[in-house]
Amino acid sequence: MPGERERYLRQQAELGGREVVLPGRAQRGGAEAPAPADADRPPPERREEGDVGTKGRTAKATGGKWRKGAPNIPEPGLAVESPAVPLVGDPLSGLDTLEKVAKRIRSTYCCDLCPQRTNAVPGEGNPNAELVLIGEGPGATEDETGRPFVGAAGRLLEEILGAVDLTRDDVFICNVVKCRPPQNRKPLPDEIAACIPYLHRQLALIRPKVILTLGGTAAEALLGVKQSLGKLRGKVHSYDGVPLIATYHPAALLRNPDWKKPTWDDVRIARQLLER
Ligand code: URA
């Protein structure tokens, strides 16, 4: 009978990833507690009509200026199931809190990006967030600080959130890959394959009401398709039943201001979905 750990490593390899445990860091190998069945987890907090955030961070639906001229909610798009649900067979299912996921990310290597990092960037924010924002991968400032979206793109993202009456503390922000690709290049398919189980796990734990992907990499990785952002925008996709809106990456907006208006529309669609 292979142990939990051995099974986990085999599944990692099947997913295209490798995991190397850093020497001296906590890693509970075969002694890991058995994964709790998802059904045992408490149901997500009941949300009152008009609430946006949760658990002490309730942003009431506002009569915000963002509503004026906001587009209607578009038609359904692609629908995918998360490989993290059901949890049977999910190699990370023993990680039953976001902190445990973050600790695992920080203490292990799963692909060739990991040994090059200064800090892994698991993601941060409200563990009960109704909105999860997902970028591509950490940049230089994120690698230095271990925090997502804290450079120039992050400042723009905060402005965008503010414009729809949300703050960083209302949402959860993370990336497809948790370690910086060299020279900020796009993560390679095998790097995404190795790291994405962490993202699936984070989403299974948070169970947000809406997902907003920032840039083509995040949309393609979560929806499992190779399509241009132009094609993926303007639809309400479904990730495990959670509405997913694909929009441009804030870094792309800094380079191409023509994309600001479509992004503003996408964000306002996501914002309306929070109130549904
Ligand atoms: N770009 C990303 O995709 N993620 C970050 O965290 C920062 C910049």
Side-chain angles (χ1 to χ4, degrees):
M1 266 293 271
E4 265 310 287
R5 176 91 188 127
E6 201 180 315
R7 196 158 48 240
Y8 169 69
L9 287 171
R10 209 178 44 237
Q11 282 165 330
Q12 274 284 104
E14 277 162 17
L15 286 167
R18 298 193 306 285
E19 186 188 65
V20 180
V21 179
L22 296 181
R25 301 278 184 95
Q27 180 68 51
R28 287 173 299 146
E32 187 146 291
D38 207 30
D40 294 341
R41 290 189 347 98
E45 271 210 351
R46 194 172 164 274
R47 287 155 180 149
E48 299 302 325
E49 189 83 4
D51 287 357
V52 175
T54 55
K55 264 210 184 144
R57 283 244 131 248
T58 301
K60 289 278 173 205
T62 60
K65 288 188 194 139
W66 62 268
R67 267 175 225 284
K68 197 162 174 239
N72 292 330
I73 293 175
E75 64 192 48
L78 302 166
V80 297
E81 294 297 317
S82 161
V85 178
L87 292 175
V88 180
D90 179 349
L92 303 181
S93 61
L95 305 179
D96 57 3
T97 65
L98 290 172
E99 290 74 27
K100 286 185 193 171
V101 177
K103 193 171 167 195
R104 176 71 66 86
I105 291 168
R106 291 195 190 101
S107 62
T108 56
Y109 286 174
C110 69
C111 80
D112 291 342
L113 294 179
C114 303
Q116 305 176 52
R117 71 191 180 209
T118 310
N119 289 292
V121 185
E124 67 180 27
N126 186 339
N128 299 299
E130 291 201 329
L131 179 63
V132 173
L133 297 104
I134 303 169
E136 179 175 286
T141 322
E142 291 76 20
D143 177 67
E144 270 162 36
T145 59
R147 300 183 55 211
F149 281 99
V150 286
R155 285 190 291 280
L156 180 54
L157 186 60
E158 283 176 26
E159 273 179 41
I160 294 170
L161 284 173
V164 287
D165 303 330
L166 294 171
T167 70
R168 277 184 89 101
D169 294 338
D170 293 318
V171 302
F172 191 86
I173 306 178
C174 58
N175 287 297
V176 173
V177 295
K178 313 302 190 188
C179 299
R180 183 190 182 200
Q183 281 83 49
N184 297 343
R185 64 154 168 75
K186 252 171 98 92
L188 302 172
D190 65 327
E191 294 160 353
I192 293 175
C195 206
I196 203 164
Y198 293 121
L199 177 58
H200 292 307
R201 192 76 203 114
Q202 288 171 316
L203 292 169
L205 289 166
I206 299 169
R207 301 187 211 208
K209 197 164 173 187
V210 179
I211 295 167
L212 182 65
T213 55
L214 308 168
T217 301
E220 286 185 349
L222 275 187
L223 294 171
V225 290
K226 190 104 197 78
Q227 273 183 27
S228 70
L229 202 45
K231 284 227 168 74
L232 291 172
R233 282 191 55 252
K235 303 245 170 57
V236 182
H237 305 291
S238 165
Y239 169 91
D240 231 19
V242 178
L244 182 154
I245 300 296
T247 195
Y248 293 105
H249 193 288
L253 302 186
L254 293 170
R255 292 191 298 269
N256 188 345
D258 286 352
W259 288 337
K260 282 192 176 169
K261 167 73 171 77
T263 302
W264 179 226
D265 285 345
D266 298 335
V267 170
R268 290 187 297 172
I269 290 165
R271 182 64 172 83
Q272 290 175 77
L273 289 167
L274 289 177
E275 295 176 4
R276 270 222 302 218

